[in-house]
Amino acid sequence: MIDFRLECVTCGQRIDPTKTVGTCPDCGAINGTLDLVYDLTPGVRPDSLGATGQGMFRLLPLLPIGADFPTTTLRVGDTPLYDAPAIASRLGIRRLFIKDEGLNPSASIKDRATAVALAHAAHLGHRTVTTASTGNAASSLAIIAASMCIKAVIFVPRTAPDPKVAQMLLAGATVIRVAGTYDEAFDMAAEAAPRFGWYSRNTATNPYLAEGKKTCAIEAAEALHWEVPDHCAVGVGDGCVYAAMHKGFKELATAGLTSALPRMLGVQAQGCAPLARAFESGGEFQPIDRPDTYADSIAVGVPRDRVKALRAARESKGAIISVTDERIREAVRLLASSAGVFAEPAGAAGLAGLIESSARGVLAPD
């Protein structure tokens, strides 16, 4: 377990790391999201990270989790990185890789976040965990909580897909379907957690989620023999995955394992693109009252991790763009037909952004 401190992303105030989870009391729920900051120095050795194939907890030297923390019995992480020459050719670029997070226990990258959060919750003695989700984080919580005999109470919007709700119920979770949007479900979960003494797995409220998601970046760099890609394309809803990937790459560079940072390309659906609009205009963030996209997992009108996401875009000299639903459908088809990878719409959004970038002529052929 690496030493860390909690800092507000806006004012830099240090927060007591022994507290459960939360945000800066002075900056509030959005501007006061917290970062886990490590005093990393060059010298972390690749052989200290454990052998591949054991799951993400082999990366303890870069995680805020101790070897004595209770963890899931399921294998999370160590997903494959596929070379995709046919798609690279289609895009007119030299090489493209696909990190297939569909091989996690609930078929989502959200398992990485949940695994770290539940290890933290169990270490603190919590037996009930709650979250709000459009579907993936909820399924992830239900499945991993079941493996650890932890109770899950989940708030989902009315638009949550029935198969995902069925998956949660089958895993024994208590599911509360909210007659409203994801953002309304989020507010209900945020209010319920302190009232009932539950541990919150909500995005942005819980800074430990990013620590799990960043392991995806660490594994990708490791598979590329500690080289990093020129671009890393990620679908964006709340912005947590996007910001966490950037954090992972930054920490690898600080630790001396890599020598560069990829440009982070965040991708939103045009029917729900508040972060893309804020990035492109350089102006103030404007929420989306009624998201309109079939990519349900990124249909987030009020992104909770927007401070970190916009920071990641600017620090990496990257961008956050929007694409049409048809472009996302094209990416779903291309992944399946040219790489044999079946992705839900949000999972294909990153590729949709690369297709759009290629069409705009902004991807260099090398």
Side-chain angles (χ1 to χ4, degrees):
M1 175 178 173
I2 190 170
D3 291 334
F4 67 90
R5 59 186 182 274
L6 286 173
E7 290 184 0
C8 172
V9 296
T10 298
C11 72
Q13 179 180 171
R14 293 194 180 186
I15 307 298
D16 183 357
T18 63
K19 297 199 178 293
T20 306
V21 291
T23 55
C24 174
D26 295 331
C27 297
I30 298 296
N31 292 327
T33 52
L34 304 179
D35 256 338
L36 271 77
V37 179
Y38 307 102
D39 292 320
L40 290 167
T41 56
V44 175
R45 302 187 321 276
D47 60 9
S48 71
L49 301 180
T52 58
Q54 300 174 10
M56 57 177 276
F57 285 114
R58 67 185 176 82
L59 303 173
L60 286 181
L62 294 171
L63 289 173
I65 300 298
D68 59 336
F69 281 36
T71 57
T72 177
T73 54
L74 304 174
R75 195 198 75 180
V76 178
D78 273 336
T79 57
L81 187 73
Y82 297 132
D83 202 345
I87 300 179
S89 177
R90 159 74 172 75
L91 297 178
I93 59 177
R94 182 168 59 87
R95 209 163 186 192
L96 178 77
F97 295 92
I98 300 164
K99 186 68 166 157
D100 188 0
E101 291 297 285
L103 296 182
N104 281 308
S106 76
S108 168
I109 190 174
K110 301 297 177 70
D111 290 340
R112 295 178 183 268
T114 301
V116 169
L118 290 195
H120 182 237
H123 178 68
L124 295 176
H126 287 274
R127 302 311 304 165
T128 301
V129 179
T130 189
T131 197
S133 169
T134 56
N136 284 340
S139 293
S140 173
L141 175 58
I143 289 171
I144 294 181
S147 77
M148 296 176 68
C149 297
I150 292 174
K151 182 179 179 181
V153 180
I154 296 166
F155 295 80
V156 298
R158 62 170 178 257
T159 55
D162 288 338
K164 290 182 182 177
V165 173
Q167 188 180 39
M168 301 168 212
L169 292 169
L170 191 61
T174 297
V175 180
I176 300 167
R177 211 158 191 173
V178 178
T181 65
Y182 161 74
D183 301 296
E184 291 166 315
F186 186 101
D187 292 338
M188 290 184 71
E191 183 179 343
R195 178 179 294 186
F196 298 109
W198 299 338
Y199 182 93
S200 174
R201 190 220 170 276
N202 269 358
T203 293
T205 300
N206 190 325
Y208 291 85
L209 302 180
E211 301 309 298
K213 292 172 182 175
K214 78 179 186 185
T215 61
C216 189
I218 296 169
E219 289 176 13
E222 180 183 44
L224 296 172
H225 307 290
W226 305 111
E227 296 290 333
V228 297
D230 297 309
H231 298 267
C232 178
V234 183
V236 174
D238 265 306
C240 184
V241 174
Y242 177 73
M245 292 290 286
H246 174 62
K247 186 178 194 289
F249 285 122
K250 269 205 326 181
E251 289 176 359
L252 288 177
T254 302
L257 288 167
T258 60
S259 59
L261 292 176
R263 292 188 174 190
M264 297 297 302
L265 177 64
V267 187
Q268 296 201 289
Q270 277 186 4
C272 189
L275 288 177
R277 293 177 187 177
F279 177 80
E280 290 167 2
S281 69
E284 291 188 6
F285 168 86
Q286 297 294 326
I288 304 296
D289 291 334
R290 287 290 178 262
D292 181 20
T293 172
Y294 96 119
D296 59 275
S297 296
I298 52 173
V300 180
V302 186
R304 310 288 166 157
D305 252 332
R306 58 178 176 261
V307 175
K308 292 181 185 178
L310 291 169
R311 181 182 65 182
R314 291 164 183 147
E315 281 185 356
S316 71
K317 298 181 173 56
I320 304 176
I321 66 171
S322 63
V323 297
T324 64
D325 275 8
E326 183 47 47
R327 187 67 92 189
I328 296 175
R329 289 188 176 93
E330 179 185 358
V332 170
R333 292 191 296 267
L334 186 60
L335 276 170
S337 64
S338 297
V341 173
F342 288 83
E344 68 162 283
L351 178 57
L354 290 176
I355 295 172
E356 184 66 26
S357 297
S358 176
R360 296 180 187 179
V362 297
L363 282 182
D366 62 349

